[in-house]
């Protein structure tokens, strides 16, 4: 199955961050970026509250769901459920190094079991008609990244994987926290490029430590796209440049101020349904970073949006802190 060009840029799946409100906000900033859910385990999908875990708004498309697990039958059932919900892609997590994930025998520890990962991919491919992709590391612990990544890639591609998203650093499963595993092991973008040169027909997307669109473009070489995580979350204005710079399309809004205004109906609907303002504004704290008034903007949202009954007036007042200073500077 051919993946569409939205894989040129994606926002990474991030636990506790890329929930449905975060994705709806990011979609306001880019029409073309591919968005990913937080990781959800296959048993949770099968036995849990599916509407809460899997629900999303139609505006999020293209949107992919990331699954965690290592049981082919369970992953196949979960993938079928997710496809029925309308997701555009199922992504298998072979990169998370947390102790909890290791205890469940999935995530990065599966780098040691390429045959099992291939069985999982084959089972999911047999159960759904949408793309099935794999997000992996270049190796774990003392593995040789040249051998480990090739072994995993060859097996999952043979099993039908539609793309590989390569977090271009090892994971250390003992002695480093998940946070340290995002920074301490050295990045090796060249390893991802060598994989693409060996498997030119396979879509391969680069992930890990990319801080800007310019850096991502400089590192891509033969690769098919880039995935940004923390950089896109902590400085979401990056996303306003995605459509014009990577897709040759107009941005959805002229600037961040217009994007926030366009996002207000979504926030209002959430509030009317009984939700809290902070459920959404916590994902907007990085907006306007580096501008005059941005500190006051963050402080106001952090302190006032959490109060019971906080509404759109809080967000508007916070944005006005920045806008007044921008207008004054332009005068």
């Amino acid at each position: 199955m051919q993946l569409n060009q939205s894989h040129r840029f994606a926002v990474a799946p991030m636990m506790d961050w890329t929930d449905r409100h975060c994705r709806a906000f990011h979609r306001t900033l880019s029409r073309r970026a591919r968005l990913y859910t937080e990781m959800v385990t296959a048993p949770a999908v099968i036995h849990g509250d599916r509407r809460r875990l899997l629900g999303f708004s139609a505006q999020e498309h293209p949107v992919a769901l990331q699954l965690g697990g290592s049981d082919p039958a369970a992953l196949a059932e979960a993938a079928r459920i997710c496809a029925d919900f309308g997701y555009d892609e199922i992504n298998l997590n072979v990169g998370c190094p947390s102790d909890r994930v290791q205890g469940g025998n999935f995530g990065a520890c599966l780098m040691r079991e390429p045959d099992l990962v291939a069985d999982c991919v084959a089972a999911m491919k047999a159960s759904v008609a949408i793309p099935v992709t794999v997000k992996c590391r270049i190796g774990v612990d003392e593995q040789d990244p040249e051998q480990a990544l090739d072994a995993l890639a060859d097996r999952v591609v043979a099993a039908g994987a539609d793309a590989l998203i390569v977090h271009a650093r090892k994971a250390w499963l003992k002695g480093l926290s998940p946070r340290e595993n995002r920074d301490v092991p050295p990045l090796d973008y060249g390893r991802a490029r060598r994989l693409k040169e060996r498997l030119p027909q396979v879509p391969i997307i680069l992930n890990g430590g990319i801080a800007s669109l310019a850096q991502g473009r400089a590192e891509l070489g033969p690769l098919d796209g880039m995935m940004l995580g923390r950089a896109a979350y902590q400085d979401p204005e990056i996303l306003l440049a995605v459509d014009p710079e990577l897709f040759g399309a107009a941005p959805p809004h002229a600037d961040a101020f217009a994007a926030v205004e366009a996002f207000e109906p979504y926030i209002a609907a959430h509030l009317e349904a009984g939700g809290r303002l902070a459920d959404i504004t916590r994902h907007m704290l990085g907006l306007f970073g580096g501008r005059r008034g941005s500190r006051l903007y963050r402080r106001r949202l952090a302190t006032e949006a959490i109060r019971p009954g906080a509404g759109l007036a809080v967000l508007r007042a916070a944005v006005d802190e920045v806008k007044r200073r921008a207008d004054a500077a332009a005068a």
Side-chain angles (χ1 to χ4, degrees), residues 23-65:
R23 299 192 305 269
F25 174 51
H26 286 176
R27 178 60 69 222
T28 306
L29 301 167
S30 169
R31 294 189 180 98
R32 305 299 184 92
R34 180 161 286 239
L35 305 177
Y36 284 74
T37 70
E38 304 168 270
M39 182 187 69
V40 185
T41 66
V45 170
I46 295 168
H47 304 294
D49 182 345
R50 295 176 186 173
R51 186 169 298 279
R52 180 181 63 83
L53 290 171
L54 305 179
F56 67 97
S57 58
Q59 72 190 69
E60 293 176 39
H61 290 294
V63 59
L65 185 134

Side-chain angles (χ1 to χ4, degrees), residues 5-6 50 57 66 69 84 139 172 206 278 298 300 304 318:
Q5 65 173 356
S6 70
R50 295 176 186 173
S57 58
Q66 187 180 69
D84 288 343
W172 289 95
L206 182 66
R298 291 192 301 272
R300 176 161 282 186
E304 297 182 21

Side-chain angles (χ1 to χ4, degrees), residues 276-279 281-282 285 299-311 314:
R276 300 182 312 138
L277 181 65
D279 296 338
T281 55
R282 73 186 186 95
L285 294 175
R299 183 185 305 161
R300 176 161 282 186
L301 288 186
T303 59
E304 297 182 21
I306 61 174
R307 295 174 181 169
V314 171

Side-chain angles (χ1 to χ4, degrees), residues 34-290:
R34 180 161 286 239
L35 305 177
Y36 284 74
T37 70
E38 304 168 270
M39 182 187 69
V40 185
T41 66
V45 170
I46 295 168
H47 304 294
D49 182 345
R50 295 176 186 173
R51 186 169 298 279
R52 180 181 63 83
L53 290 171
L54 305 179
F56 67 97
S57 58
Q59 72 190 69
E60 293 176 39
H61 290 294
V63 59
L65 185 134
Q66 187 180 69
L67 279 176
S70 59
D71 180 286
L75 284 166
E77 183 178 355
R80 185 166 54 250
I81 293 167
C82 297
D84 288 343
F85 260 77
Y87 283 94
D88 299 294
E89 171 195 335
I90 304 297
N91 177 258
L92 180 63
N93 184 319
V94 189
C96 181
S98 76
D99 291 339
R100 182 177 68 85
V101 165
Q102 292 181 55
N105 190 38
F106 60 98
C109 63
L110 289 176
M111 291 294 302
R112 297 191 181 117
E113 301 185 66
D115 290 329
L116 175 57
V117 179
D119 289 342
C120 293
V121 169
M124 290 189 288
K125 285 290 293 182
S127 70
V128 300
I130 60 176
V132 173
T133 64
V134 174
K135 187 172 187 293
C136 64
R137 296 283 185 133
I138 60 174
V140 296
D141 297 337
E142 300 303 328
Q143 283 185 323
D144 177 351
E146 299 298 324
Q147 297 176 4
L149 184 57
D150 279 356
L152 182 81
D154 288 347
R155 285 164 177 77
V156 300
V157 169
D162 293 285
L164 291 172
I165 302 165
V166 179
H167 185 154
R169 69 170 100 233
K170 273 188 174 184
W172 289 95
L173 302 181
K174 301 296 181 183
L176 291 182
S177 69
R179 181 173 182 174
E180 290 170 323
N181 262 295
R182 295 193 296 264
D183 297 304
V184 174
L187 286 159
D188 187 356
Y189 296 139
R191 180 64 191 95
R193 291 191 290 265
R194 291 193 295 277
L195 179 67
K196 177 64 181 179
E197 289 164 356
R198 197 174 69 83
L199 300 174
Q201 78 284 5
V202 179
I204 297 176
I205 294 88
L206 182 66
N207 173 236
I210 303 172
S212 67
L213 298 187
Q215 181 195 358
R217 295 177 81 167
E219 295 289 354
L220 280 183
L223 296 167
D224 298 279
M226 68 180 88
M227 174 180 276
L228 271 64
R230 285 171 292 167
Y233 186 89
Q234 294 168 351
D235 183 11
E237 281 193 75
I238 285 175
L239 300 178
L240 277 174
V242 166
D243 294 4
E245 292 191 18
L246 300 181
F247 295 92
H253 303 287
D255 56 26
F257 298 109
V260 171
E261 185 175 353
F263 192 45
E264 284 191 4
Y266 178 94
I267 300 173
H270 175 67
L271 296 174
E272 289 170 8
R276 300 182 312 138
L277 181 65
D279 296 338
I280 298 176
T281 55
R282 73 186 186 95
H283 302 300
M284 303 172 68
L285 294 175
L287 204 61
F288 308 118

